Amino acid sequence: MNPMHLAYFRNKLRDWRDQLVEESRQTMDNLREEVRDVGDEAERATRETENSLELRTRDRYRKLISKIDKALRRIEEGSYGFCEETDEEIGIDRLDARPIATLSLDAQERREHLQKQMGD
């Protein structure tokens, strides 16, 4: 992968991370500002369900941010774009679609096939 590709993916990952952090910050601000004493029990239950869903989404974002950080570290270390299992190049198209990918398409398919066989 040439330096131009690495710069492209570094920027793409940073932008994605910034977007996720901003959305999480907005969620937390909204939850803090929300008035909890308004409405009847049904309205409060609906609001709590919505808040719970939102918090689960933010937890997924937190995990995704961790994967983005790892991808950024791999860029700095020079291992970005190479499969963790085979050391083969992952491929620009796959990385463009999934910039946090750590496995080549073949390795990912083998892993998924294995998981199916084991019932995971």
Side-chain angles (χ1 to χ4, degrees):
M1 188 174 305
N2 68 41
M4 212 166 73
H5 287 127
L6 290 173
Y8 168 78
F9 286 113
R10 184 181 295 113
N11 289 334
K12 184 172 185 154
L13 288 161
R14 285 179 180 162
D15 290 346
W16 191 14
R17 185 186 195 289
D18 291 345
Q19 177 187 2
L20 293 172
V21 168
E22 180 58 30
E23 286 180 28
S24 294
R25 185 174 326 157
Q26 288 175 0
T27 298
M28 297 312 292
D29 289 345
N30 290 342
L31 290 174
R32 271 190 223 105
E33 293 172 3
E34 187 175 279
V35 178
R36 301 203 184 278
D37 299 336
V38 178
D40 60 5
E41 283 186 40
E43 188 176 329
R44 277 194 300 264
T46 300
R47 187 175 298 147
E48 286 179 22
T49 301
E50 290 169 354
N51 290 348
S52 177
L53 288 171
E54 192 66 30
L55 289 172
R56 276 188 275 174
T57 299
R58 297 307 163 222
D59 188 51
R60 284 193 296 271
Y61 281 10
R62 181 187 55 80
K63 292 174 184 173
L64 186 53
I65 288 169
S66 174
K67 290 179 180 182
I68 292 170
D69 289 341
K70 288 177 185 175
L72 289 168
R73 276 194 299 279
R74 286 194 310 275
I75 288 174
E76 298 310 315
E77 295 166 354
S79 61
Y80 183 78
F82 293 94
C83 179
E84 288 181 345
E85 288 184 5
T86 64
D87 287 330
E88 297 172 349
E89 287 190 27
I90 292 175
I92 301 293
D93 290 339
R94 175 160 167 73
L95 288 171
D96 200 29
R98 184 97 176 132
I100 58 173
T102 59
L103 300 173
S104 66
L105 191 54
D106 289 340
Q108 182 68 39
E109 287 174 350
R110 279 192 303 272
R111 182 175 281 184
E112 289 173 2
H113 181 71
L114 237 166
Q115 287 175 339
K116 257 188 205 176
Q117 286 180 333
M118 299 179 103
D120 255 344

